[in-house]
Each structure stands twice: as C-alpha cells, then as structure tokens.
Amino acid sequence: MNAEVMFVSGMFLAKRNSGLLRLGGCSARVSGGVGRTWAGRSRVRMAAEVIDGKLIAGQVREEVSAEVAEYTQQTGKAPGLAVVIVGTRKDSQTYVRNKRRACDKVGIASFLFELPENVSQSELVKVVDDLNNRNDVHGILVQLPLPEHIQSEEVLDTIKLEKDVDGFHPLNIGRLCMNGREKPLFIPCTPKGCIELLDRSNVPIEGKNAVVLGRSNIVGMPVSMLLMQRNATVTVCHRFTDDLENKVRNADIVVSAVGRAGLVKGDWIKPGAALIDVGINAVDDPSDKRGYRLVGDIEYEAAKERSGWITPVPGGVGPMTIAMLLRNTLEAAKLAMG
C-alpha cells in the first residue's frame, strides 16, 4: 500500500489515490511510503526496517577518519593501537587482521605483538606493562580468549586505565554500573555499538521495556547498564530464567547475546519491537559452499515480519564492534593529549 498517513480527530487515515482509508487507532510511521506499526495499537503489520550495521559502521569510520586526520595534523603523530595475540587460533587471527586493516583505513597506527601459545603469565603481563609506558601507544587490546594457563583477568587488569580501549578494566566497568559518579573512560565496544545502532536508527529507548538475553561481562551486563542509563526498564535473562517467551513478548527492545541459533522464536516478538541480535552461530547448510551459514539467536525471517527494526547476522552488530574500537582509540589519544 503506497499511502500518505495523516492524523485526523484522534485516528490515523491513510490517503490512497483519491480516497481515504481508515486505519483505526493505530500508530503508524511512514518512511519512504512504508508504514511502521506499533505494538498493541495497530491492526496493520509491516516488515521491519533492517538495521544495516555495515552502513552505520561505515559512517562511524568516516567520522573517526576525519577526526584522526585533524588530530594527526595537530600533534604530528597518529593515534596508536597495540594488539596482543597469543597462540594461533584462526578466528582470533582473523579478528586481529580485520582490526588492523580498519585502523589503517582511518589513519590509526597499529602495532602487532604475536606471542606463542606457551607464553607464561609473567611474560605476557610484562609485554602489556611495557606497552603501558609507550607514548606512541594510546590503546591496548589483548585478543581473547587466552590459553587456559593464562589468567585473563590479571592480564586485563594490567592494562592502564587510560589505554583500556576494550573497556574491560574493572574501574571502567564499575563506573559504568554506578549513577552519579565519574563516567567510565571507555565503554566496551560491542555494547556501545548496540546503542549506536539504536540511536542512529531513531529507535526510542527512554521509557521502553528492554530485555537483554545473556549476562556476560563482554556484552550482556554492559549493554543492560547502558539501556538503564537511557531510562529503559531492563530485564536481564539467562539460562535459569523462567518463562523466557513471555518476557520477550513484552519487550519493546530485545538484545540477544547468547550464542544459540534460533533461541528467540519469531512469534515471540512484540509487533514493532527493535531487535539487536549479537549472537553469531554456524548452522549446517549443504547449499552453501562452506557447508554452513551464519545465523543469529533470533529467527530472522519470522521476526522480521513482526518487528519494527532488526539487525541481520552477519552484517548487523559485528561491523559496529570494530568501529567502536576505532572511536575508543581516538578518544584515548585525545585523552593523552590533555
């Protein structure tokens, strides 16, 4: 239906051709001729707006690139990010390669430190401590996971607060969780990217019911704090949560970061809800040359027909994680400049 929607005497009317089509008391949003309907108030259901994480991440990178150029001109040196990787995990190597490539594209200098799988705890801590003292390094990222014999917490705690561009230092996390205190210097990249996607897609947060699936230190806990800071009413769900379906049904915003393909069923979704799918799961698919395809935690096609906004997997949250890392690194450089 190509319609122009107007509000007349407490109801919405859709103007089509020479006549008016009454939609009743629904609250419809029109963008480019397509209406968006809202839960509990609409009898018209339209497909979701797909939140293009690649596009939005590209916008963020362009902004960062311009600011990096200005910073470099002012200071005579580029912001610097040191990446430490232990072992030869293929997925970690891919992530590190993508991060360094992204740095290069926006003008951030990247320094790679590759350590063997059997590196000792003390040797790894010394590498991080040396980077803390380098003036050309503004941000430090230790690629996770680390080998089992390494205490990740001790290594991450070694990173200087002002260089903690991953946002995992206990002081940064602690400040994120406290109202009325000093703000964290850096926010973890993936949660920060989730909020950026909502904001740039004009999804209202204040006063909304938000459900976060997963309570990890990397995504679930930080993103729930960020949503609460924006005055959403937040429910955090986990493997011990009773009646998960009913909690999701009442959510205006769903952020899923569990890592279980199809955990959230399409018919659970409240019409008009915003869905941020952080999960990335490989499922068998003989039709794909790889033998598998990547999917999220949410049943995408079914949920797309009910939701107002939805992120695809891949191409949704993933690109934003690196974009937020670039922004955090730039902020660290500015912080060092004083």
Side-chain angles (χ1 to χ4, degrees):
M1 178 180 72
N2 293 321
E4 176 185 353
V5 176
M6 69 180 98
F7 185 77
V8 179
S9 301
M11 71 182 75
F12 282 87
L13 300 176
K15 184 177 180 181
R16 182 172 61 184
N17 298 328
S18 60
L20 292 174
L21 174 65
R22 176 170 176 170
L23 300 181
C26 74
S27 176
R29 222 160 46 109
V30 171
S31 175
V34 179
R36 179 66 38 72
T37 60
W38 295 89
R41 293 175 287 173
S42 175
R43 297 171 188 172
V44 179
R45 193 167 72 199
M46 309 294 285
E49 174 185 325
V50 177
I51 299 176
D52 190 337
K54 291 182 179 178
L55 177 65
I56 295 175
Q59 295 169 350
V60 173
R61 288 196 303 269
E62 287 180 4
E63 295 163 4
V64 169
S65 180
E67 292 183 52
V68 166
E70 183 179 352
Y71 172 90
T72 303
Q73 185 176 21
Q74 290 177 354
T75 65
K77 61 180 180 180
L81 174 67
V83 181
V84 180
I85 181 171
V86 178
T88 57
R89 281 180 58 123
K90 296 298 183 184
D91 56 347
S92 292
Q93 290 176 332
T94 299
Y95 297 146
V96 166
R97 185 164 55 249
N98 290 341
K99 290 168 184 176
R100 297 193 71 208
R101 186 181 297 125
C103 284
D104 184 61
K105 288 181 178 179
V106 300
I108 292 175
S110 65
F111 309 95
L112 177 62
F113 296 83
E114 297 177 288
L115 304 177
E117 183 85 18
N118 62 353
V119 67
S120 70
Q121 179 94 15
S122 59
E123 289 172 323
L124 178 55
V125 167
K126 185 180 186 306
V127 169
V128 173
D129 203 36
D130 288 344
L131 293 173
N132 282 333
N133 297 316
R134 282 182 53 166
N135 292 330
D136 58 341
V137 172
H138 302 101
I140 301 171
L141 184 152
V142 177
Q143 183 64 44
L144 301 177
L146 293 171
E148 290 185 1
H149 69 280
I150 300 291
Q151 296 295 318
S152 299
E153 189 172 296
E154 180 183 340
V155 174
L156 296 179
D157 288 355
T158 303
I159 299 173
K160 191 176 181 180
L161 182 66
E162 292 80 7
K163 297 189 178 188
D164 174 40
V165 291
D166 246 351
F168 294 146
H169 192 286
L171 279 178
N172 277 324
I173 292 295
R175 290 174 179 177
L176 180 63
C177 297
M178 300 184 72
N179 292 322
R181 300 292 293 272
E182 188 175 356
K183 293 183 178 180
L185 294 182
F186 306 104
I187 294 169
C189 300
T190 300
K192 186 175 182 178
C194 291
I195 300 301
E196 192 79 12
L197 288 174
L198 292 172
D199 285 342
R200 294 201 183 217
S201 301
N202 298 313
V203 177
I205 298 175
E206 185 171 340
K208 300 300 180 181
N209 292 321
V211 166
V212 176
L213 281 68
R215 53 180 175 177
S216 72
N217 292 331
I218 296 174
V219 181
M221 187 277 291
V223 82
S224 65
M225 294 296 108
L226 292 172
L227 288 165
M228 280 197 285
Q229 288 176 6
R230 296 288 295 274
N231 299 317
T233 300
V234 180
T235 300
V236 179
C237 299
H238 44 77
R239 64 193 178 107
F240 297 106
T241 298
D242 287 330
D243 197 7
L244 178 62
E245 176 181 345
N246 189 54
K247 290 175 174 60
V248 172
R249 284 187 181 278
N250 290 317
D252 302 303
I253 299 170
V254 177
V255 180
S256 186
V258 177
R260 283 182 57 189
L263 172 66
V264 179
K265 308 306 178 187
D267 61 4
W268 292 4
I269 303 304
K270 182 178 181 179
L275 310 179
I276 304 295
D277 196 344
V278 186
I280 183 163
N281 313 283
V283 297
D284 293 338
D285 185 354
S287 67
D288 192 294
K289 63 181 180 181
R290 301 171 298 181
Y292 69 91
R293 58 188 171 88
L294 299 178
V295 300
D297 294 343
I298 300 170
E299 288 185 342
Y300 182 78
E301 292 299 333
K304 184 179 176 182
E305 295 304 312
R306 295 177 62 87
S307 60
W309 299 262
I310 188 169
T311 59
V313 176
V317 175
M320 292 300 294
T321 298
I322 293 180
M324 294 299 102
L325 174 64
L326 299 176
R327 178 160 291 286
N328 280 354
T329 301
L330 172 62
E331 294 304 320
K334 291 180 177 179
L335 185 65
M337 188 172 63

